[in-house]
Amino acid sequence: DAGVTQSPTHLIKTRGQQVTLRCSPKSGHDTVSWYQQALGQGPQFIFQYYEEEERQRGNFPDRFSGHQFPNYSSELNVNALLLGDSALYLCASSRSTYEQYFGPGTRLTVT
Amino acid sequence: LAKTTQPISMDSYEGQEVNITCSHNNIATNDYITWYQQFPSQGPRFIIQGYKTKVTNEVASLFIPADRKSSTLSLPRVSLSDTAVYYCLVGDDDYKLSFGAGTTVTVRA
């Protein structure tokens, strides 16, 4: 049983560009959450998707958007990239319980 | 969400027991206490969750006093592979997890 998978593993973008990160949840999970983890800090909640809709959102600007597909996979889109968006982006899946299963993350570097 | 305070770092040696205490003075009645572990370049991993008294699983024990204003994660007989960041989370929200800076535990040979 594959766990949570994310792609790509690493990504380098230039300021002002747009990026799309992808996540496939653990088998049987219907809820996907996205987190941003800056170096040396804990993960910060971006938003969560359930039944293809954004259920709750953290304190992130509208440049951060997402989508969930009928097969429960999800995408995180970030527009107009800033240097401060450089971070590890984590996807976590669950079946609406407090125990979330995290993927290995996508390391985004903005230059 | 209740704010948590935990030590920034702790050092230990192989075979010792490591106890990490987390303070959460403003914990609400419906809040649970959850601990996650994170290795470098990996996502966090659920360790244990509790509401009151003591919870034990194959990895750790969680001790919660009656007033629930603090909790202690106990890792028995640590090994080098237990070197990681440990996060204490408090809340009743199934939707999102609020992580602090965590405690960096370093286990030495």
PDB file of all heavy atoms in Angstrom, chain B residues 77-103:
ATOM      1  N   ARG B  77      14.274   3.920  26.069  1.00  0.00           N
ATOM      2  CA  ARG B  77      15.468   3.337  25.483  1.00  0.00           C
ATOM      3  C   ARG B  77      15.703   3.824  24.048  1.00  0.00           C
ATOM      4  O   ARG B  77      15.602   3.062  23.088  1.00  0.00           O
ATOM      5  CB  ARG B  77      15.393   1.819  25.532  1.00  0.00           C
ATOM      6  CG  ARG B  77      15.285   1.259  26.942  1.00  0.00           C
ATOM      7  CD  ARG B  77      15.275  -0.269  26.927  1.00  0.00           C
ATOM      8  NE  ARG B  77      16.484  -0.803  26.305  1.00  0.00           N
ATOM      9  CZ  ARG B  77      17.649  -0.917  26.907  1.00  0.00           C
ATOM     10  NH1 ARG B  77      17.791  -0.496  28.174  1.00  0.00           N
ATOM     11  NH2 ARG B  77      18.688  -1.429  26.268  1.00  0.00           N
ATOM     12  N   VAL B  78      16.030   5.096  23.913  1.00  0.00           N
ATOM     13  CA  VAL B  78      16.193   5.670  22.583  1.00  0.00           C
ATOM     14  C   VAL B  78      17.428   5.116  21.877  1.00  0.00           C
ATOM     15  O   VAL B  78      18.395   4.671  22.504  1.00  0.00           O
ATOM     16  CB  VAL B  78      16.285   7.206  22.644  1.00  0.00           C
ATOM     17  CG1 VAL B  78      14.955   7.792  23.112  1.00  0.00           C
ATOM     18  CG2 VAL B  78      17.436   7.672  23.517  1.00  0.00           C
ATOM     19  N   SER B  79      17.369   5.156  20.561  1.00  0.00           N
ATOM     20  CA  SER B  79      18.497   4.778  19.722  1.00  0.00           C
ATOM     21  C   SER B  79      18.856   5.962  18.830  1.00  0.00           C
ATOM     22  O   SER B  79      18.153   6.978  18.817  1.00  0.00           O
ATOM     23  CB  SER B  79      18.144   3.554  18.869  1.00  0.00           C
ATOM     24  OG  SER B  79      17.099   3.891  17.970  1.00  0.00           O
ATOM     25  N   LEU B  80      19.942   5.821  18.100  1.00  0.00           N
ATOM     26  CA  LEU B  80      20.383   6.914  17.226  1.00  0.00           C
ATOM     27  C   LEU B  80      19.288   7.310  16.236  1.00  0.00           C
ATOM     28  O   LEU B  80      19.159   8.485  15.871  1.00  0.00           O
ATOM     29  CB  LEU B  80      21.650   6.514  16.464  1.00  0.00           C
ATOM     30  CG  LEU B  80      22.902   6.251  17.304  1.00  0.00           C
ATOM     31  CD1 LEU B  80      24.045   5.764  16.404  1.00  0.00           C
ATOM     32  CD2 LEU B  80      23.324   7.485  18.074  1.00  0.00           C
ATOM     33  N   SER B  81      18.475   6.355  15.833  1.00  0.00           N
ATOM     34  CA  SER B  81      17.435   6.608  14.846  1.00  0.00           C
ATOM     35  C   SER B  81      16.263   7.412  15.413  1.00  0.00           C
ATOM     36  O   SER B  81      15.359   7.786  14.664  1.00  0.00           O
ATOM     37  CB  SER B  81      16.916   5.292  14.262  1.00  0.00           C
ATOM     38  OG  SER B  81      16.330   4.517  15.284  1.00  0.00           O
ATOM     39  N   ASP B  82      16.265   7.649  16.697  1.00  0.00           N
ATOM     40  CA  ASP B  82      15.222   8.481  17.311  1.00  0.00           C
ATOM     41  C   ASP B  82      15.576   9.966  17.253  1.00  0.00           C
ATOM     42  O   ASP B  82      14.776  10.807  17.681  1.00  0.00           O
ATOM     43  CB  ASP B  82      14.991   8.067  18.764  1.00  0.00           C
ATOM     44  CG  ASP B  82      14.365   6.696  18.880  1.00  0.00           C
ATOM     45  OD1 ASP B  82      13.411   6.419  18.120  1.00  0.00           O
ATOM     46  OD2 ASP B  82      14.820   5.897  19.729  1.00  0.00           O
ATOM     47  N   THR B  83      16.749  10.283  16.742  1.00  0.00           N
ATOM     48  CA  THR B  83      17.130  11.685  16.553  1.00  0.00           C
ATOM     49  C   THR B  83      16.174  12.323  15.545  1.00  0.00           C
ATOM     50  O   THR B  83      16.095  11.878  14.398  1.00  0.00           O
ATOM     51  CB  THR B  83      18.580  11.795  16.051  1.00  0.00           C
ATOM     52  OG1 THR B  83      19.462  11.336  17.075  1.00  0.00           O
ATOM     53  CG2 THR B  83      18.917  13.228  15.688  1.00  0.00           C
ATOM     54  N   ALA B  84      15.450  13.340  16.000  1.00  0.00           N
ATOM     55  CA  ALA B  84      14.399  13.932  15.168  1.00  0.00           C
ATOM     56  C   ALA B  84      13.860  15.169  15.882  1.00  0.00           C
ATOM     57  O   ALA B  84      14.263  15.500  16.989  1.00  0.00           O
ATOM     58  CB  ALA B  84      13.270  12.933  14.934  1.00  0.00           C
ATOM     59  N   VAL B  85      12.910  15.838  15.218  1.00  0.00           N
ATOM     60  CA  VAL B  85      12.173  16.931  15.838  1.00  0.00           C
ATOM     61  C   VAL B  85      10.824  16.378  16.291  1.00  0.00           C
ATOM     62  O   VAL B  85      10.160  15.672  15.533  1.00  0.00           O
ATOM     63  CB  VAL B  85      11.963  18.108  14.874  1.00  0.00           C
ATOM     64  CG1 VAL B  85      11.164  19.225  15.556  1.00  0.00           C
ATOM     65  CG2 VAL B  85      13.304  18.645  14.387  1.00  0.00           C
ATOM     66  N   TYR B  86      10.439  16.696  17.519  1.00  0.00           N
ATOM     67  CA  TYR B  86       9.185  16.208  18.082  1.00  0.00           C
ATOM     68  C   TYR B  86       8.257  17.401  18.332  1.00  0.00           C
ATOM     69  O   TYR B  86       8.642  18.373  18.986  1.00  0.00           O
ATOM     70  CB  TYR B  86       9.450  15.435  19.374  1.00  0.00           C
ATOM     71  CG  TYR B  86      10.188  14.156  19.114  1.00  0.00           C
ATOM     72  CD1 TYR B  86      11.577  14.152  18.962  1.00  0.00           C
ATOM     73  CD2 TYR B  86       9.506  12.949  18.980  1.00  0.00           C
ATOM     74  CE1 TYR B  86      12.261  12.980  18.681  1.00  0.00           C
ATOM     75  CE2 TYR B  86      10.185  11.767  18.711  1.00  0.00           C
ATOM     76  CZ  TYR B  86      11.563  11.794  18.562  1.00  0.00           C
ATOM     77  OH  TYR B  86      12.232  10.637  18.284  1.00  0.00           O
ATOM     78  N   TYR B  87       7.051  17.300  17.822  1.00  0.00           N
ATOM     79  CA  TYR B  87       6.080  18.389  17.919  1.00  0.00           C
ATOM     80  C   TYR B  87       4.927  17.980  18.842  1.00  0.00           C
ATOM     81  O   TYR B  87       4.368  16.885  18.710  1.00  0.00           O
ATOM     82  CB  TYR B  87       5.492  18.731  16.560  1.00  0.00           C
ATOM     83  CG  TYR B  87       6.471  19.259  15.546  1.00  0.00           C
ATOM     84  CD1 TYR B  87       7.037  18.424  14.597  1.00  0.00           C
ATOM     85  CD2 TYR B  87       6.810  20.614  15.521  1.00  0.00           C
ATOM     86  CE1 TYR B  87       7.925  18.905  13.647  1.00  0.00           C
ATOM     87  CE2 TYR B  87       7.698  21.107  14.574  1.00  0.00           C
ATOM     88  CZ  TYR B  87       8.242  20.248  13.645  1.00  0.00           C
ATOM     89  OH  TYR B  87       9.117  20.744  12.701  1.00  0.00           O
ATOM     90  N   CYS B  88       4.549  18.905  19.714  1.00  0.00           N
ATOM     91  CA  CYS B  88       3.383  18.754  20.567  1.00  0.00           C
ATOM     92  C   CYS B  88       2.265  19.614  19.991  1.00  0.00           C
ATOM     93  O   CYS B  88       2.464  20.809  19.751  1.00  0.00           O
ATOM     94  CB  CYS B  88       3.743  19.211  21.988  1.00  0.00           C
ATOM     95  SG  CYS B  88       2.338  19.426  23.104  1.00  0.00           S
ATOM     96  N   LEU B  89       1.101  19.032  19.763  1.00  0.00           N
ATOM     97  CA  LEU B  89      -0.033  19.768  19.212  1.00  0.00           C
ATOM     98  C   LEU B  89      -1.230  19.600  20.129  1.00  0.00           C
ATOM     99  O   LEU B  89      -1.471  18.520  20.667  1.00  0.00           O
ATOM    100  CB  LEU B  89      -0.404  19.251  17.824  1.00  0.00           C
ATOM    101  CG  LEU B  89       0.555  19.539  16.660  1.00  0.00           C
ATOM    102  CD1 LEU B  89       1.750  18.595  16.692  1.00  0.00           C
ATOM    103  CD2 LEU B  89      -0.180  19.403  15.347  1.00  0.00           C
ATOM    104  N   VAL B  90      -1.980  20.672  20.270  1.00  0.00           N
ATOM    105  CA  VAL B  90      -3.186  20.641  21.085  1.00  0.00           C
ATOM    106  C   VAL B  90      -4.340  21.232  20.286  1.00  0.00           C
ATOM    107  O   VAL B  90      -4.214  22.296  19.699  1.00  0.00           O
ATOM    108  CB  VAL B  90      -2.988  21.443  22.392  1.00  0.00           C
ATOM    109  CG1 VAL B  90      -4.298  21.555  23.157  1.00  0.00           C
ATOM    110  CG2 VAL B  90      -1.930  20.794  23.253  1.00  0.00           C
ATOM    111  N   GLY B  91      -5.457  20.542  20.272  1.00  0.00           N
ATOM    112  CA  GLY B  91      -6.610  21.073  19.563  1.00  0.00           C
ATOM    113  C   GLY B  91      -7.688  20.020  19.388  1.00  0.00           C
ATOM    114  O   GLY B  91      -7.467  18.839  19.640  1.00  0.00           O
ATOM    115  N   ASP B  92      -8.856  20.475  18.957  1.00  0.00           N
ATOM    116  CA  ASP B  92      -9.948  19.548  18.690  1.00  0.00           C
ATOM    117  C   ASP B  92     -10.369  19.615  17.240  1.00  0.00           C
ATOM    118  O   ASP B  92     -11.390  19.072  16.865  1.00  0.00           O
ATOM    119  CB  ASP B  92     -11.156  19.869  19.579  1.00  0.00           C
ATOM    120  CG  ASP B  92     -11.798  21.207  19.210  1.00  0.00           C
ATOM    121  OD1 ASP B  92     -11.178  21.991  18.460  1.00  0.00           O
ATOM    122  OD2 ASP B  92     -12.915  21.468  19.686  1.00  0.00           O
ATOM    123  N   ASP B  93      -9.554  20.283  16.459  1.00  0.00           N
ATOM    124  CA  ASP B  93      -9.921  20.553  15.073  1.00  0.00           C
ATOM    125  C   ASP B  93      -9.396  19.430  14.186  1.00  0.00           C
ATOM    126  O   ASP B  93      -8.196  19.251  14.045  1.00  0.00           O
ATOM    127  CB  ASP B  93      -9.329  21.893  14.640  1.00  0.00           C
ATOM    128  CG  ASP B  93      -9.956  22.406  13.364  1.00  0.00           C
ATOM    129  OD1 ASP B  93     -10.489  21.581  12.598  1.00  0.00           O
ATOM    130  OD2 ASP B  93      -9.896  23.609  13.137  1.00  0.00           O
ATOM    131  N   ASP B  94     -10.294  18.678  13.602  1.00  0.00           N
ATOM    132  CA  ASP B  94      -9.861  17.623  12.699  1.00  0.00           C
ATOM    133  C   ASP B  94      -9.314  18.179  11.401  1.00  0.00           C
ATOM    134  O   ASP B  94      -8.701  17.462  10.630  1.00  0.00           O
ATOM    135  CB  ASP B  94     -11.029  16.710  12.357  1.00  0.00           C
ATOM    136  CG  ASP B  94     -11.358  15.761  13.471  1.00  0.00           C
ATOM    137  OD1 ASP B  94     -10.524  15.605  14.374  1.00  0.00           O
ATOM    138  OD2 ASP B  94     -12.447  15.190  13.453  1.00  0.00           O
ATOM    139  N   TYR B  95      -9.563  19.456  11.139  1.00  0.00           N
ATOM    140  CA  TYR B  95      -9.253  19.996   9.825  1.00  0.00           C
ATOM    141  C   TYR B  95      -7.795  20.392   9.669  1.00  0.00           C
ATOM    142  O   TYR B  95      -7.233  20.252   8.611  1.00  0.00           O
ATOM    143  CB  TYR B  95     -10.129  21.214   9.541  1.00  0.00           C
ATOM    144  CG  TYR B  95     -11.608  20.916   9.497  1.00  0.00           C
ATOM    145  CD1 TYR B  95     -12.521  21.943   9.604  1.00  0.00           C
ATOM    146  CD2 TYR B  95     -12.077  19.631   9.366  1.00  0.00           C
ATOM    147  CE1 TYR B  95     -13.878  21.688   9.567  1.00  0.00           C
ATOM    148  CE2 TYR B  95     -13.434  19.358   9.330  1.00  0.00           C
ATOM    149  CZ  TYR B  95     -14.339  20.385   9.431  1.00  0.00           C
ATOM    150  OH  TYR B  95     -15.660  20.142   9.398  1.00  0.00           O
ATOM    151  N   LYS B  96      -7.198  20.928  10.699  1.00  0.00           N
ATOM    152  CA  LYS B  96      -5.845  21.411  10.516  1.00  0.00           C
ATOM    153  C   LYS B  96      -5.014  21.164  11.765  1.00  0.00           C
ATOM    154  O   LYS B  96      -5.536  21.119  12.871  1.00  0.00           O
ATOM    155  CB  LYS B  96      -5.844  22.908  10.207  1.00  0.00           C
ATOM    156  CG  LYS B  96      -6.403  23.777  11.320  1.00  0.00           C
ATOM    157  CD  LYS B  96      -6.390  25.232  10.919  1.00  0.00           C
ATOM    158  CE  LYS B  96      -6.930  26.121  12.041  1.00  0.00           C
ATOM    159  NZ  LYS B  96      -6.983  27.542  11.640  1.00  0.00           N
ATOM    160  N   LEU B  97      -3.736  20.975  11.549  1.00  0.00           N
ATOM    161  CA  LEU B  97      -2.790  20.791  12.628  1.00  0.00           C
ATOM    162  C   LEU B  97      -1.957  22.049  12.767  1.00  0.00           C
ATOM    163  O   LEU B  97      -1.492  22.597  11.771  1.00  0.00           O
ATOM    164  CB  LEU B  97      -1.875  19.600  12.332  1.00  0.00           C
ATOM    165  CG  LEU B  97      -2.575  18.256  12.107  1.00  0.00           C
ATOM    166  CD1 LEU B  97      -1.552  17.193  11.763  1.00  0.00           C
ATOM    167  CD2 LEU B  97      -3.385  17.870  13.323  1.00  0.00           C
ATOM    168  N   SER B  98      -1.783  22.532  13.981  1.00  0.00           N
ATOM    169  CA  SER B  98      -0.983  23.726  14.237  1.00  0.00           C
ATOM    170  C   SER B  98       0.315  23.325  14.909  1.00  0.00           C
ATOM    171  O   SER B  98       0.316  22.926  16.080  1.00  0.00           O
ATOM    172  CB  SER B  98      -1.753  24.710  15.119  1.00  0.00           C
ATOM    173  OG  SER B  98      -2.891  25.188  14.437  1.00  0.00           O
ATOM    174  N   PHE B  99       1.400  23.409  14.164  1.00  0.00           N
ATOM    175  CA  PHE B  99       2.711  23.022  14.662  1.00  0.00           C
ATOM    176  C   PHE B  99       3.451  24.233  15.202  1.00  0.00           C
ATOM    177  O   PHE B  99       3.420  25.308  14.611  1.00  0.00           O
ATOM    178  CB  PHE B  99       3.552  22.414  13.538  1.00  0.00           C
ATOM    179  CG  PHE B  99       3.085  21.083  13.035  1.00  0.00           C
ATOM    180  CD1 PHE B  99       2.074  20.984  12.103  1.00  0.00           C
ATOM    181  CD2 PHE B  99       3.682  19.907  13.500  1.00  0.00           C
ATOM    182  CE1 PHE B  99       1.650  19.749  11.635  1.00  0.00           C
ATOM    183  CE2 PHE B  99       3.267  18.668  13.035  1.00  0.00           C
ATOM    184  CZ  PHE B  99       2.257  18.588  12.101  1.00  0.00           C
ATOM    185  N   GLY B 100       4.151  24.034  16.322  1.00  0.00           N
ATOM    186  CA  GLY B 100       5.080  25.040  16.811  1.00  0.00           C
ATOM    187  C   GLY B 100       6.452  24.740  16.248  1.00  0.00           C
ATOM    188  O   GLY B 100       6.580  24.091  15.205  1.00  0.00           O
ATOM    189  N   ALA B 101       7.489  25.183  16.942  1.00  0.00           N
ATOM    190  CA  ALA B 101       8.860  24.977  16.468  1.00  0.00           C
ATOM    191  C   ALA B 101       9.374  23.582  16.786  1.00  0.00           C
ATOM    192  O   ALA B 101      10.332  23.112  16.186  1.00  0.00           O
ATOM    193  CB  ALA B 101       9.784  26.022  17.062  1.00  0.00           C
ATOM    194  N   GLY B 102       8.751  22.914  17.755  1.00  0.00           N
ATOM    195  CA  GLY B 102       9.156  21.556  18.088  1.00  0.00           C
ATOM    196  C   GLY B 102      10.393  21.472  18.968  1.00  0.00           C
ATOM    197  O   GLY B 102      11.043  22.475  19.274  1.00  0.00           O
ATOM    198  N   THR B 103      10.692  20.258  19.395  1.00  0.00           N
ATOM    199  CA  THR B 103      11.886  19.971  20.194  1.00  0.00           C
ATOM    200  C   THR B 103      12.816  19.091  19.389  1.00  0.00           C
ATOM    201  O   THR B 103      12.415  18.006  18.961  1.00  0.00           O
ATOM    202  CB  THR B 103      11.516  19.248  21.501  1.00  0.00           C
ATOM    203  OG1 THR B 103      10.695  20.088  22.302  1.00  0.00           O
ATOM    204  CG2 THR B 103      12.777  18.862  22.280  1.00  0.00           C
TER     205      THR B 103
END
